[in-house]
């Protein structure tokens, strides 16, 4: 494992910890998109079905279980926790996310590395993850002035994907031109979606101001 892969995993894990801290410390999920969190559950469940088919390493297995478990826990809190669920703004979180699921599934059927059950689901999870952040970004844009923990959560989530792009570039040169077109395409698309958010994040950080996204 190279440093970029490890950094990507750690920033991804840290983003989840920040989100859990926000939810449990404030007893609120205000500014968090339930639709994005539900899409992440679907991403992890379809991608990590290989848990039942192969063993890569203890680290790999533990990380997969952590991502599945934490994403399910977040969705449960937002839907069923007697206090936290009251702060969820369903009217603002209205992105038609089922189009993302349908589009990703159709693309996975058409473009995959091997037309098998696990490989199609893996491709589906990669395509879906690339656009899963869209409901969250739209919600932040509608909210305008958002709390710091939510902002940091989205920042670290974007940083995780940025490190993974660097990981793929490193592996391309270090592992005899290792290349997986699906992950490269989806990773670049996903990173690009964070471009506007990163711009305003660094502007607010530079000016020591609270992040405000244009409507």
């Amino acid at each position: 494992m190279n440093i970029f892969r490890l950094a990507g995993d750690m920033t991804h894990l840290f983003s989840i910890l920040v989100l859990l801290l926000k939810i449990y410390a404030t007893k609120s999920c205000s500014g968090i998109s339930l639709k994005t969190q539900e899409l992440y559950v679907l991403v992890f469940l379809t991608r990590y079905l290989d848990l039942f088919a192969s063993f890569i390493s203890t680290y790999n297995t533990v990380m997969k279980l952590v991502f599945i478990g934490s994403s399910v826990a977040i969705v449960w809190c937002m839907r069923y926790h007697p206090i936290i669920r009251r702060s969820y703004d369903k009217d603002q979180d209205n992105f038609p996310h089922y189009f993302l699921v349908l589009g990703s599934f159709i693309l996975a059927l058409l473009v995959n590395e091997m037309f098998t059950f696990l490989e199609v689901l893996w491709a589906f999870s990669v395509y879906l993850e690339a656009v899963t952040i869209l409901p969250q970004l739209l919600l932040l844009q509608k909210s305008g002035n958002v709390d710091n923990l939510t902002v940091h959560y989205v920042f670290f989530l974007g940083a995780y994907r940025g490190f993974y792009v660097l990981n793929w570039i490193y592996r391309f040169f270090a592992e005899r031109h290792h290349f997986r077109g699906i992950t490269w395409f989806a990773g670049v698309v996903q990173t690009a979606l964070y471009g506007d958010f990163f711009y305003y994040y660094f502007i607010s950080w530079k000016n020591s101001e609270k992040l405000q996204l244009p409507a």
Side-chain angles (χ1 to χ4, degrees):
M1 180 186 300
N2 63 72
I3 187 63
F4 301 115
R5 166 72 184 278
L6 181 61
D9 285 347
M10 292 302 104
T11 50
H12 192 183
L13 181 60
F14 194 67
S15 72
I16 294 173
L17 293 177
V18 168
L19 181 55
L20 288 171
L21 173 64
K22 176 225 169 28
I23 291 175
Y24 281 99
T26 66
K27 292 295 187 292
S28 169
C29 60
S30 174
I32 301 300
S33 169
L34 175 60
K35 293 184 177 182
T36 283
Q37 299 307 316
E38 289 177 336
L39 290 177
Y40 270 119
V41 171
L42 186 56
V43 165
F44 295 141
L45 288 178
T46 53
R47 179 175 302 171
Y48 298 148
L49 283 176
D50 62 350
L51 278 170
F52 303 101
S54 61
F55 176 80
I56 299 175
S57 68
T58 301
Y59 170 86
N60 184 273
T61 299
V62 169
M63 291 298 284
K64 289 177 179 179
L65 292 175
V66 167
F67 289 139
I68 293 173
S70 59
S71 61
V72 170
I74 291 168
V75 168
W76 182 88
C77 285
M78 294 183 70
R79 277 193 170 276
Y80 303 112
H81 191 283
I83 298 176
I84 295 172
R85 68 179 183 178
R86 297 174 188 170
S87 58
Y88 171 58
D89 192 343
K90 184 177 180 180
D91 293 333
Q92 292 275 10
D93 189 23
N94 57 8
F95 189 95
H97 62 314
Y98 44 83
F99 284 121
L100 301 179
V101 176
L102 180 60
S104 298
F105 184 68
I106 292 174
L107 188 57
L109 290 175
L110 297 175
V111 184
N112 53 71
E113 295 185 350
M114 186 181 299
F115 196 72
T116 64
F117 179 73
L118 287 180
E119 286 297 321
V120 169
L121 287 183
W122 175 82
F124 165 75
S125 75
V126 173
Y127 294 136
L128 184 59
E129 186 183 14
V131 293
T132 288
I133 195 62
L134 282 174
Q136 179 64 68
L137 292 177
L138 182 64
L139 181 58
L140 289 182
Q141 191 175 45
K142 289 180 178 180
S143 302
N145 203 332
V146 293
D147 67 86
N148 286 331
L149 285 176
T150 302
V151 169
H152 294 328
Y153 159 68
V154 177
F155 171 78
F156 284 113
L157 202 56
Y160 135 70
R161 182 47 60 181
F163 279 122
Y164 258 68
V165 171
L166 294 176
N167 164 58
W168 298 328
I169 295 173
Y170 172 85
R171 293 185 67 184
F172 179 78
F173 291 104
E175 300 180 14
R176 297 183 179 181
H177 297 87
H178 174 88
F179 180 80
R180 300 188 77 173
I182 291 175
T183 54
W184 279 64
F185 167 75
V188 170
V189 169
Q190 185 177 3
T191 304
L193 290 176
Y194 286 92
D196 194 53
F197 170 84
F198 281 142
Y199 172 77
Y200 287 103
Y201 179 91
F202 284 114
I203 290 295
S204 65
W205 174 78
K206 180 181 178 180
N207 297 329
S208 299
E209 298 173 347
K210 197 170 184 180
L211 178 68
Q212 288 185 320
L213 297 176

